[in-house]
Amino acid sequence: MKLELIIRSNSSDIDFALLKDGKLIEFNNETNNNKFSVGDIFVAKTGKILSGLNASFVNVGYPKDGFLHYHDLGPQVNSLSKFMKKVSTGNYKDYTLKNFQFEKDIEKSGSIDQVLKSKQNVLVQIVKEPISTKGPRISSEISIAGRYLVLVPFSKRVSVSQKIEDPKEKDRLKRLAKSIKPAGFGVILRTVAKGKKVAELDKDLQNSLERWKEMCGKIPNAQTPTKVLSELNRASSILRDVLNESFTSIVTNDDTLFEEINDYLQEIYPEKQSILKMHEGKSPIFEKYGIERQIKSAFGQTVSMSKGAYLVIEHTEALHVIDVNSGNRSNKANSQEENALEVNLIAATEIARQLRLRDMGGIIVVDFIDLHSNENRQKLYDHLKQEMSLDRTKHKILPPSKFGLIQITRQRVRAETNIKTKEPNPNINGEVEAPIVMVDKFNVELNRIMASKNKNKKIALHVHPFVAAYLQKGLISEQIKWFLKHKKWIKVLPRDAYQYLQYRFKFER
């Protein structure tokens, strides 16, 4: 497996594409005006206390106030409030918490009006970005994420990621963390900390501690609401969370970004600095790596898969619904059950990719093709869990129901990535699928034909003249690629009577 991070920058925003063996698995966009990213920390002011909801609205500078529930206060919120008052005066500068006198933890089932008052200054962190008409979801349980560990002020707990299953490794990491942990801080060891030495963990902890001190230094002069600590930019946060030995290249088209990433790599993973490259050549960076084509084909309502199968993805206010269809795929399976299982396994892999790619959150219901065997249903469930194990976002998958439905919940912390894949129809008013998606459809149908009894017949593709010209242009045209792949010449016949994206394969004896 090889992983590539391709970063495209322009004047207004930055696009990040993560490729696994050349296939797009994550796509993120960062705009310059995004002032409310997950992880940002603000000095904010409480608004109305809602005793009925056991929550408070908090002004963080967004048009809609943030929502702070009692359960998001954190057990040490009284210690945090006391610390805020001391630091705000400008006279208290011991940010290490070494000599700080902690307050008693709040009760788990307490009331928010016993802890917070209206118009009170509070330190809060964004845990869910503004989505649709809702303001950001916030927490006053502050944490600062590093490469190998997360630093948690006002906590004493040391814990290890659940994804590290080896008990001996868990105990080793806990011992190391306790030996370097400063007083007044808790530590959460991340999955990538597995196998790391104490020096590497301590260096990462000291970096996070410096960020905490830098943030505290901004509090005395902060006018509410003010951001006092920004989460790393998207490029650095992706590298922090996913960079590993499998990464083979990081490519960007921006000089400033190149320098920023190079500095960050030098800090967290110096042995990987050599994989960072500047994009060269006349073709745009996303076109060179085939990302534009993949974006067009992956974000539509219908998503094609191998062997003619496809997904239909629908979005409602309450949930996302995904329907699995076998289409007109060639069936070499011995039975309908085997065929259904094969399609479902292909679909499970693509669904795991789609959830990451679109960053779909909330409730997702998948209607797989019915399986009668309990053993096959278990195979499908296990395969989906395995494919979803690579997803960094918290999620839960329920076993198949009687009706063949699988329900997934996936944490929603930012708005879903939604890319318009349709283009204006040049013939009439309205929109049609992007022509680039048509080529993928041609390839799927040709693969099906070449696997059927019609493979020995002469094949002609009838299309609109514009599309015919596109298929035949260049020394290595799409038509030539088909010949090299299938060892068969496919005629491309322009038809004036056809609408722009209308096409048909015809056979001759």
Side-chain angles (χ1 to χ4, degrees):
M1 179 183 75
K2 68 174 184 177
L3 287 174
E4 299 169 286
L5 181 62
I6 314 300
I7 308 171
R8 176 179 65 182
S9 176
N10 57 44
S11 58
S12 59
D13 53 13
I14 305 171
D15 294 319
F16 305 91
L18 186 61
L19 305 181
K20 176 185 174 183
D21 295 329
K23 192 166 188 178
L24 185 65
I25 59 170
E26 277 193 39
F27 182 77
N28 294 284
N29 173 268
E30 185 180 86
T31 57
N32 291 336
N33 60 359
N34 185 17
K35 299 176 182 177
F36 301 92
S37 297
V38 173
D40 289 349
I41 299 176
F42 287 78
V43 173
K45 191 178 289 288
T46 57
K48 189 175 182 181
I49 305 294
L50 307 170
S51 301
L53 294 176
N54 207 15
S56 171
F57 285 121
V58 178
N59 179 14
V60 291
Y62 189 74
K64 293 272 187 178
D65 284 348
F67 186 78
L68 180 63
H69 193 272
Y70 181 84
H71 292 148
D72 294 322
L73 291 175
Q76 282 286 353
V77 65
N78 286 333
S79 296
L80 175 63
S81 297
K82 177 182 174 182
F83 180 79
M84 275 283 292
K85 287 179 183 177
K86 281 176 166 280
V87 173
S88 296
T89 63
N91 299 321
Y92 186 83
K93 296 185 178 180
D94 184 8
Y95 305 144
T96 63
L97 305 182
K98 186 165 53 177
N99 301 312
F100 182 75
Q101 294 296 315
F102 281 59
E103 296 295 307
K104 188 178 178 182
D105 287 7
I106 62 172
E107 296 179 6
K108 289 185 179 179
S109 56
S111 177
I112 196 165
D113 54 15
Q114 296 173 342
V115 180
L116 294 182
K117 297 178 181 178
S118 183
K119 306 297 182 184
Q120 177 180 335
N121 283 357
V122 289
L123 197 66
V124 294
Q125 189 166 29
I126 305 292
V127 295
K128 192 174 183 179
E129 293 177 12
I131 299 173
S132 186
T133 59
K134 298 177 181 177
R137 179 80 181 257
I138 54 181
S139 169
S140 56
E141 192 167 15
I142 307 301
S143 63
I144 299 175
R147 168 75 172 147
Y148 302 121
L149 51 82
V150 178
L151 190 67
V152 187
F154 307 103
S155 173
K156 299 175 183 177
R157 192 164 62 107
V158 174
S159 58
V160 182
S161 166
Q162 292 180 353
K163 291 184 179 180
I164 298 178
E165 297 177 353
D166 184 358
K168 290 183 179 179
E169 178 62 11
K170 279 192 170 185
D171 289 341
R172 185 188 76 88
L173 288 172
K174 278 189 177 181
R175 287 199 308 272
L176 294 182
K178 287 177 180 177
S179 70
I180 60 174
K181 181 183 77 67
F185 292 86
V187 169
I188 303 170
L189 280 303
R190 308 183 71 182
T191 309
V192 289
K194 185 177 180 180
K196 298 302 176 184
K197 297 178 180 178
V198 67
E200 294 173 285
L201 299 179
D202 186 53
K203 181 182 177 183
D204 191 48
L205 185 145
Q206 295 304 322
N207 286 341
S208 295
L209 201 56
E210 285 303 312
R211 294 185 71 205
W212 162 258
K213 292 176 182 176
E214 183 183 338
M215 181 204 77
C216 291
K218 296 178 182 178
I219 292 175
N221 300 317
Q223 299 293 319
T224 56
T226 300
K227 185 192 294 187
V228 287
L229 185 69
S230 292
E231 170 61 308
L232 297 173
N233 64 53
R234 199 77 184 126
S236 297
S237 65
I238 289 174
L239 291 175
R240 179 192 66 195
D241 295 342
V242 305
L243 185 63
N244 56 40
E245 288 298 326
S246 300
F247 263 78
T248 54
S249 67
I250 303 167
V251 188
T252 181
N253 64 342
D254 184 85
D255 293 328
T256 304
L257 261 178
F258 181 91
E259 293 300 327
E260 288 178 3
I261 296 170
N262 189 54
D263 291 344
Y264 188 63
L265 284 174
Q266 189 173 18
E267 181 183 317
I268 69 163
Y269 214 145
E271 56 268 40
K272 282 290 183 182
Q273 275 184 282
S274 61
I275 69 173
L276 177 62
K277 301 179 182 70
M278 270 294 293
H279 170 64
E280 296 177 352
K282 295 181 180 178
S283 62
I285 186 170
F286 270 22
E287 288 189 16
K288 179 179 178 181
Y289 291 90
I291 297 168
E292 288 288 7
R293 177 187 290 270
Q294 293 192 59
I295 289 172
K296 291 283 188 180
S297 61
F299 281 90
Q301 182 182 13
T302 302
V303 179
S304 298
M305 300 183 293
S306 61
K307 300 183 180 179
Y310 63 95
L311 303 175
V312 177
I313 302 177
E314 301 273 3
H315 309 282
T316 71
E317 188 68 26
L319 48 79
H320 309 278
V321 181
I322 303 176
D323 185 36
V324 179
N325 295 273
S326 60
N328 51 9
R329 67 188 294 275
S330 57
N331 184 6
K332 293 184 178 179
N334 294 324
S335 67
Q336 184 178 350
E337 180 81 0
E338 285 184 27
N339 180 57
L341 177 62
E342 185 181 359
V343 172
N344 283 340
L345 292 177
I346 293 170
T349 301
E350 180 61 28
I351 287 165
R353 171 180 173 249
Q354 286 290 328
L355 297 187
R356 290 178 70 183
L357 202 52
R358 303 184 188 217
D359 205 5
M360 291 163 62
I363 300 172
I364 301 107
V365 178
V366 186
D367 183 10
F368 285 99
I369 299 171
D370 287 347
L371 293 169
H372 301 292
S373 163
N374 288 333
E375 182 183 352
N376 287 339
R377 281 200 287 267
Q378 187 63 41
K379 276 184 187 177
L380 172 61
Y381 178 58
D382 292 341
H383 181 71
L384 181 59
K385 285 202 298 183
Q386 177 61 35
E387 292 295 321
M388 290 286 290
S389 66
L390 301 173
D391 193 338
R392 290 172 289 129
T393 301
K394 289 181 182 177
H395 60 272
K396 185 175 182 180
I397 307 169
L398 298 182
S401 70
K402 291 180 183 178
F403 306 109
L405 303 177
I406 287 185
Q407 298 172 68
I408 305 168
T409 58
R410 189 172 182 272
Q411 189 177 24
R412 191 184 188 196
V413 296
R414 57 179 60 87
E416 178 191 346
T417 303
N418 188 15
I419 295 176
K420 188 175 180 180
T421 60
K422 292 192 174 183
E423 299 178 358
N425 188 334
N427 288 343
I428 56 175
N429 292 332
E431 294 180 324
V432 292
E433 283 185 330
I436 199 169
V437 178
M438 281 199 71
V439 178
D440 292 331
K441 289 187 173 182
F442 295 155
N443 288 327
V444 168
E445 193 151 347
L446 270 176
N447 289 337
R448 181 184 65 81
I449 291 170
M450 297 311 294
S452 72
K453 61 184 179 181
N454 292 316
K455 64 181 180 180
N456 295 322
K457 295 180 180 179
K458 293 181 179 179
I459 305 169
L461 174 59
H462 297 244
V463 289
H464 187 279
F466 288 175
V467 179
Y470 173 79
L471 295 174
Q472 294 172 317
K473 73 172 184 177
L475 290 175
I476 308 296
S477 64
E478 292 295 331
Q479 192 178 25
I480 295 295
K481 289 178 185 176
W482 292 339
F483 176 74
L484 295 173
K485 179 179 179 181
H486 300 293
K487 304 297 185 287
K488 188 180 186 68
W489 187 251
I490 312 296
K491 286 184 182 178
V492 177
L493 300 178
R495 295 288 302 275
D496 292 339
Y498 274 33
Q499 292 188 5
Y500 189 43
L501 298 185
Q502 184 180 353
Y503 71 93
R504 186 177 175 185
F505 283 96
K506 291 188 178 182
F507 305 103
E508 302 171 13
R509 291 194 179 277

